[in-house]
Amino acid sequence: MVHDIQIIGGGLAGSEAAWQLARRGFRVRLSEMRGSGEMTPAHQTDGLAELVCSNSFRSDDSDKNAVGLLHDEMRRLDSLVMQAGEKARVPAGSAMAVDRDVFSAEVERALKEHPNVTVVRERVDALPESGPTIVATGPLTAQSLAESIVQATGQDRLAFFDAIAPIVHRDSIDMDICWIQSRWNKRTEASNEEGDYINCPMTKEQYYAFHQGLMDGEKTEFREWEKDTPYFDGCMPIEVMAARGVETLRFGPMKPVGLDNPRDTTPEFPQGRWPYAVVQLRQDNKLGTLWNMVGFQTKLKHGAQVELFRTIPGLENAEFARLGGLHRNTFLNSPLVLDRQLRLNRAAHIRFAGQMTGCEGYVESAAVGLMAGLMAASELAGQDWAPPPRTTALGALLSHITGDAEAETFQPMNVNFGLFPPLHEVGKKQRKEAYTSRAKADLGPWLRQLERISA
C-alpha cells in the first residue's frame, strides 16, 4: 500500500498516532523493529504497545487527578489506547490497570484490521530524508537510529542517561522558613527582584541527620541492561556523593556559602548568616508553579524520598510533582529542538512523539502520540492546526514539552496540575476540582474544530 505517512515505532505513542491518522482516512506505514529478528533489552514480546514495566495507567479520577483528566480527554478523542485499556481492564480500585497481554493484543488487532494501516516489521536505521514521518521509538531507541537523531539535532540535544531531580509544587513550600536569593546575590536578566533560588537552611544537626538518612535509605537497583552505563559528574546520585564523606555535600549541591539567611540575623550579621548547609530549588517552568531540587538526582526509592526530603526545613509539607530517579533513557531536549507542533526544527517533515519528547508515563506517551497524529493529519489535509487549550491536560502537557519547560533543566515529566495555568483565586482545597472543571469546559470547542480533519 502506498502510504501518506510513516510512523517509526509501534509502542503506545506510535500505535495511537497511527490510529488517529487512519481513522481520518490517511494511509499509514507503521514500522516496528520487534518481530523483524530484532529485540530491545527490555521487551519480552513483539506485540504492539507492549507494557514493559507496570500494568497501571494510574488514577482514573477525572475530577481530582491530572492523569485521570488526561484519560477523559483521550476518551473524548476516540483514543485506541483507552479503548484497549477498557477491554483489558482488571480490578485496581480507583486506578486503571490492565491485563498486559490482552491490552497489547487488542491494540494490535485494531491496527491490523484497519484498512488504512500497514504494519511492517523492520528496523529503521536513519531518519528519512523526506516524506511525512513520526518517530516514536521510545527510551530504548536502537543505536543506529539514535546516532541519526544526534546528527539531526546536535550532539548535546539527546540524553542517554536520565538523571531526574525531584520537583516540588511551589505553593507547598514554607516560605516562612525558606527565602529567595541567588548565591552572592548574583542574578540573571530573567531573575525576579529577590533572586533565582528558593533556599532551605539546615543546622549542623539537621544536616548530619539528613546525611545519615541518605546512607540508610532504601535504593532501587539498575536493571541488567543498565548496569554498564557509567555515572558522570553531571548526573551523579546525591547518595553516591554523600558516600564520599560526610562533608562532601556541603561543598557540592548543599553548599551554603554566599547565602545569607534573613531569618537568622544578629548585630554582627544584620543581613543574615550562612547556614551550615542549604538545599536549593530552582524554577522549573515558566509559570513558576514547579521548582526542582538542585543536584538531588537519586536512586532512593520513592517512599524513602518523600520521608527523607520532608525532613528538610521548609519542605515538611512538600507536595512532589515528580520524584527523583536515574535510569537509562533516550529523550530530546524538546524545548530546544522541536517546534510547537512537535516538528524537528532542522527537518520539519519529521515529528517526534511519546517518551522521546520528554514525557513520562504510559498515558502521557500515548497522549503525545495522539496529538502528533492529529497534527500530522491536519497538515496532510492542508488545514491550520489549532493546539488544545493550555488549560486542558493535553494542552498543558504539550506546552510544557514544546517550550514552557526550562531547556537547561529539562527532564521527563508526568502530567500534573503544576503544568496548568494557575488559579490563584481558588482555595487550595478546591483547586483540583477547579482545574478539571475549567479543562472540561475548554476542551469542547477545540474538539469541534477537529471534526473537519479528514483525507
Coordinates of all heavy atoms in Angstrom, one line a residue, residues 10-11 14-16 18-20 22 30 48 80 106-119:
G10 N 6.3 1.1 17.2 CA 4.9 0.5 17.5 C 4.6 0.4 18.9 O 3.8 -0.5 19.3
G11 N 5.1 1.3 19.8 CA 4.7 1.4 21.2 C 3.4 2.1 21.3 O 2.6 2.2 20.4
G14 N 3.3 5.4 19.1 CA 3.2 5.2 17.6 C 1.9 4.5 17.2 O 1.3 4.9 16.2
S15 N 1.4 3.6 18.1 CA 0.2 3.0 17.8 C -1.0 4.0 17.9 O -1.9 3.9 17.0 CB -0.1 1.8 18.8 OG 0.9 0.8 18.7
E16 N -1.0 4.9 18.9 CA -2.0 5.9 19.0 C -2.0 6.8 17.8 O -3.0 7.2 17.3 CB -1.9 6.6 20.3 CG -3.0 7.6 20.6 CD -4.4 6.9 20.8 OE1 -4.5 6.0 21.7 OE2 -5.3 7.2 20.1
A18 N -0.9 6.3 14.8 CA -1.4 5.5 13.6 C -2.9 5.5 13.6 O -3.5 5.7 12.6 CB -0.8 4.1 13.6
W19 N -3.5 5.2 14.7 CA -4.9 5.1 14.9 C -5.6 6.5 14.5 O -6.6 6.5 13.8 CB -5.3 4.7 16.3 CG -6.8 4.6 16.5 CD1 -7.5 5.5 17.3 CD2 -7.7 3.6 16.1 NE1 -8.8 5.1 17.3 CE2 -9.0 3.9 16.6 CE3 -7.5 2.4 15.3 CZ2 -10.1 3.1 16.3 CZ3 -8.7 1.7 15.1 CH2 -9.9 2.0 15.6
Q20 N -5.1 7.5 15.1 CA -5.7 8.8 14.9 C -5.6 9.2 13.4 O -6.6 9.8 12.8 CB -5.0 9.9 15.7 CG -5.2 9.7 17.2 CD -6.7 9.9 17.6 OE1 -7.5 10.6 17.0 NE2 -7.1 9.2 18.7
A22 N -5.3 7.0 10.8 CA -6.0 6.1 9.9 C -7.5 6.3 10.0 O -8.2 6.2 9.0 CB -5.7 4.6 10.4
L30 N 3.3 1.6 9.5 CA 3.8 1.6 10.9 C 5.0 0.6 11.0 O 4.8 -0.6 10.8 CB 2.7 1.1 11.8 CG 3.0 1.0 13.3 CD1 3.5 2.3 13.9 CD2 1.8 0.5 14.1
L48 N 2.6 -5.1 19.5 CA 2.5 -3.6 19.5 C 2.0 -3.2 20.9 O 1.2 -3.8 21.6 CB 1.5 -3.2 18.5 CG 1.8 -3.5 17.0 CD1 0.8 -3.0 16.1 CD2 3.2 -3.0 16.6
L80 N -7.3 4.9 20.9 CA -7.2 3.5 20.8 C -6.6 2.9 22.1 O -7.1 1.8 22.6 CB -6.3 3.1 19.6 CG -6.0 1.6 19.5 CD1 -7.2 0.7 19.4 CD2 -5.0 1.4 18.4
E106 N -5.2 -6.4 21.8 CA -6.3 -5.5 21.4 C -5.8 -4.4 20.5 O -6.4 -4.1 19.5 CB -7.1 -5.0 22.5 CG -8.3 -4.2 22.2 CD -9.3 -5.0 21.3 OE1 -9.4 -6.2 21.4 OE2 -10.1 -4.3 20.6
V107 N -4.7 -3.7 20.9 CA -4.1 -2.7 20.1 C -3.7 -3.2 18.7 O -4.0 -2.6 17.7 CB -3.0 -2.0 20.8 CG1 -2.2 -1.0 19.9 CG2 -3.4 -1.2 22.1
E108 N -3.0 -4.3 18.8 CA -2.5 -4.9 17.5 C -3.7 -5.3 16.6 O -3.6 -5.1 15.4 CB -1.6 -6.1 17.8 CG -0.9 -6.7 16.6 CD 0.4 -7.4 16.8 OE1 1.1 -7.0 17.8 OE2 0.7 -8.3 16.1
R109 N -4.7 -6.0 17.2 CA -5.8 -6.4 16.4 C -6.5 -5.2 15.7 O -6.8 -5.2 14.5 CB -6.9 -7.1 17.3 CG -8.1 -7.6 16.5 CD -9.3 -7.8 17.4 NE -9.7 -6.6 18.1 CZ -10.4 -5.6 17.5 NH1 -10.8 -5.7 16.2 NH2 -10.8 -4.5 18.2
A110 N -6.7 -4.1 16.4 CA -7.4 -2.9 15.9 C -6.6 -2.3 14.7 O -7.2 -1.9 13.7 CB -7.7 -1.9 17.0
L111 N -5.3 -2.2 14.9 CA -4.5 -1.6 13.8 C -4.4 -2.5 12.6 O -4.4 -2.1 11.5 CB -3.1 -1.3 14.4 CG -3.1 -0.1 15.4 CD1 -1.7 0.1 16.0 CD2 -3.5 1.2 14.7
K112 N -4.2 -3.8 12.8 CA -4.0 -4.7 11.7 C -5.3 -4.9 10.9 O -5.3 -5.1 9.7 CB -3.6 -6.1 12.2 CG -2.1 -6.2 12.6 CD -1.6 -7.6 12.9 CE -0.1 -7.7 13.0 NZ 0.3 -9.0 13.3
E113 N -6.5 -4.7 11.6 CA -7.7 -4.8 10.9 C -8.1 -3.5 10.2 O -9.0 -3.6 9.3 CB -8.8 -5.2 11.9 CG -8.7 -6.6 12.4 CD -9.8 -7.0 13.3 OE1 -10.7 -6.2 13.6 OE2 -9.8 -8.2 13.8
H114 N -7.5 -2.4 10.5 CA -7.8 -1.2 9.8 C -7.3 -1.1 8.4 O -6.1 -1.3 8.2 CB -7.3 0.0 10.6 CG -8.1 1.3 10.4 ND1 -8.0 1.9 9.1 CD2 -8.9 2.0 11.1 CE1 -8.8 3.0 9.2 NE2 -9.4 3.1 10.3
P115 N -8.1 -0.8 7.4 CA -7.6 -0.9 6.0 C -6.6 0.2 5.7 O -5.9 0.1 4.7 CB -8.9 -0.6 5.2 CG -9.9 0.1 6.2 CD -9.5 -0.5 7.5
N116 N -6.5 1.2 6.5 CA -5.5 2.3 6.3 C -4.2 2.1 7.0 O -3.3 3.0 6.9 CB -6.1 3.7 6.7 CG -7.2 4.1 5.8 OD1 -7.2 3.7 4.6 ND2 -8.1 4.9 6.3
V117 N -4.0 1.0 7.6 CA -2.7 0.8 8.4 C -2.0 -0.5 7.8 O -2.6 -1.5 7.7 CB -3.0 0.6 9.9 CG1 -1.7 0.3 10.6 CG2 -3.7 1.8 10.5
T118 N -0.7 -0.3 7.5 CA 0.1 -1.5 7.2 C 1.2 -1.5 8.2 O 2.0 -0.6 8.4 CB 0.8 -1.3 5.8 OG1 -0.3 -1.1 4.8 CG2 1.7 -2.5 5.5
V119 N 1.2 -2.6 9.0 CA 2.3 -2.9 10.0 C 3.4 -3.6 9.3 O 3.2 -4.7 8.8 CB 1.7 -3.7 11.2 CG1 2.8 -3.9 12.2 CG2 0.6 -2.9 11.8

